[in-house]
Amino acid sequence: MKIAVTGSIATDHLMHFPGRFGEQLLPDQLHKVSLSFLVDDLVVRRGGVAANIAFGMAQLGQRPVLVGAVGADFVDYRSWLERHGVDCDSVHVSEVAHTARFVCTTDEDMCQIASFYAGAMAEARNIELAPVAARVGGLDLVLISPNDPEAMLRHTDESRQRGYAFTSDPSQQLARMSGDEARKLVEGAAYLLTNEYEKDLLESKTGLTDAQVLDLVGVRVTTLGRDGVRITGRGLDPIHVPVAHEIKAYDPTGVGDGFRAGFFAALSWDLPLERAAQVGSVLATQVLETIGTQEYQVKPADFVERLTESYGAGPADEIRPHLPS
């Protein structure tokens, strides 16, 4: 299955605050908040939603095509991704801007305050999907993840026009979009992915009910944090998959990207939606237990053990043959 993963490619600057943000925020003073948090750790990691998803899919034996825009400083990052099985030949390199940067601080409650510098990502709006499809011999699925908003709309429109099956994953970019733009991202999507808050925000912005959104898409996947994931769709009985067994949480950054990587890798193996969500949940847990979004390694024996602990021997036996040797 040939999958193009479009979206942000960035460097993550991850910090830890040894306290709780909530204890420093005064409700009646939020309109003039001015705070500086003294952090006790700084780690610089490779990141970006599309790159994280592509890396996770490659860990599961896929050869995803990464589509996005970067700066000239991408050389080492490209080598890292290519060594781990990601096709980077369709990445656009800017002549003037740096690769995007994500700066995030996490507190003791796993709450986060973050900023994102777009940089070269703004040039993703100039990328056309047709040459990508021609280079790899067609596209079975286009993942449209958070990116420059105009790029997201362009990739969505082109996917509809050319008949590429696509996923809508607007995530944090919903905050920047109008209701009309948000609807354009969703309409005709084979899969729509949001967390629970984004689900409500999407419906509020578009004025659509949950049922009306389902009329526009094939399958709706809503991640519920500690409560797992819910999958609904036209003609589908609702599916709920609990989170996978966890050893120790370290950093929630990129957990949703890990879920998406596992979910779509499993769908490419022709596994049913429930199994796909289970694979996604186990991969998401590996990200949660790692500092950094691409610092984990999928070891098939350990992966199967975690599947068995979380969902039973039956699901693990169905998934085992598809894992890389």
Side-chain angles (χ1 to χ4, degrees):
M1 188 172 185
K2 295 173 183 176
I3 300 177
V5 185
T6 77
S8 63
I9 304 168
T11 302
D12 290 345
H13 296 246
L14 309 176
M15 291 167 281
H16 174 257
F17 172 58
R20 292 175 171 81
F21 295 140
E23 295 174 354
Q24 318 304 322
L25 298 171
L26 303 175
D28 61 340
Q29 299 295 317
L30 293 179
H31 63 290
K32 56 179 180 180
V33 64
S34 178
L35 287 171
S36 176
F37 296 99
L38 181 63
V39 301
D40 61 5
D41 189 34
L42 167 64
V43 180
V44 180
R45 303 286 189 188
R46 306 168 188 88
V49 174
N52 290 341
I53 294 172
F55 176 86
M57 294 181 70
Q59 284 286 300
L60 291 170
Q62 303 296 296
R63 177 71 173 169
V65 180
L66 181 60
V67 179
V70 299
D73 54 341
F74 182 64
V75 176
D76 288 343
Y77 195 170
R78 177 193 292 270
S79 296
W80 163 268
L81 291 170
E82 289 178 340
R83 286 200 311 274
H84 288 85
V86 177
D87 180 337
C88 295
D89 287 348
S90 292
V91 173
H92 167 80
V93 181
S94 171
E95 296 181 358
V96 296
H98 290 291
T99 301
R101 289 185 185 154
F102 175 64
V103 182
C104 179
T105 304
T106 303
D107 75 358
E108 290 293 310
D109 290 330
M110 293 290 172
C111 295
Q112 295 182 313
I113 294 177
S115 298
F116 188 85
Y117 163 71
M121 191 179 80
E123 297 183 26
R125 66 187 66 180
N126 300 324
I127 298 173
E128 188 176 2
L129 295 176
V132 180
R135 180 177 69 81
V136 301
L139 291 172
D140 298 304
L141 185 65
V142 178
L143 272 59
I144 301 173
S145 59
N147 199 355
D148 171 73
E150 287 192 33
M152 296 171 73
L153 290 166
R154 175 174 184 171
H155 297 336
T156 302
D157 287 341
E158 186 179 355
S159 294
R160 277 193 291 257
Q161 291 169 9
R162 299 188 184 279
Y164 305 146
F166 70 94
T167 74
S168 176
D169 182 15
S171 191
Q172 64 264 29
Q173 294 295 40
L174 273 176
R176 293 185 55 180
M177 293 186 165
S178 67
D180 183 58
E181 289 172 330
R183 179 172 179 141
K184 287 179 181 177
L185 285 180
V186 168
E187 194 164 4
Y191 301 91
L192 168 62
L193 292 97
T194 62
N195 62 29
E196 201 164 23
Y197 181 83
E198 292 158 357
K199 174 185 182 297
D200 292 341
L201 181 60
L202 174 65
E203 291 169 9
S204 175
K205 283 207 165 196
T206 60
L208 299 171
T209 65
D210 177 69
Q212 289 171 327
V213 171
L214 282 178
D215 285 339
L216 299 179
V217 304
V219 175
R220 186 169 199 177
V221 181
T222 307
T223 55
L224 308 171
R226 296 179 184 274
D227 294 324
V229 59
R230 180 174 62 246
I231 301 174
T232 54
R234 288 170 287 174
L236 288 178
D237 291 330
I239 299 168
H240 176 260
V241 173
V243 295
H245 175 70
E246 173 192 311
I247 297 175
K248 181 174 176 57
Y250 281 101
D251 184 359
T253 308
V255 168
D257 306 336
F259 173 82
R260 286 152 175 76
F263 182 79
F264 287 109
L267 289 182
S268 75
W269 302 334
D270 291 326
L271 290 175
L273 290 168
E274 183 178 16
R275 296 289 174 265
Q278 290 166 345
V279 173
S281 295
V282 170
L283 197 65
T285 298
Q286 284 200 249
V287 178
L288 180 64
E289 295 171 350
T290 307
I291 297 176
T293 58
Q294 298 178 27
E295 307 305 319
Y296 62 93
Q297 180 182 2
V298 171
K299 299 178 179 179
D302 295 341
F303 202 86
V304 170
E305 181 179 356
R306 188 71 66 92
L307 282 164
T308 303
E309 292 173 349
S310 303
Y311 307 113
D317 287 343
E318 287 184 49
I319 294 165
R320 180 189 287 110
H322 302 282
L323 296 172
S325 59

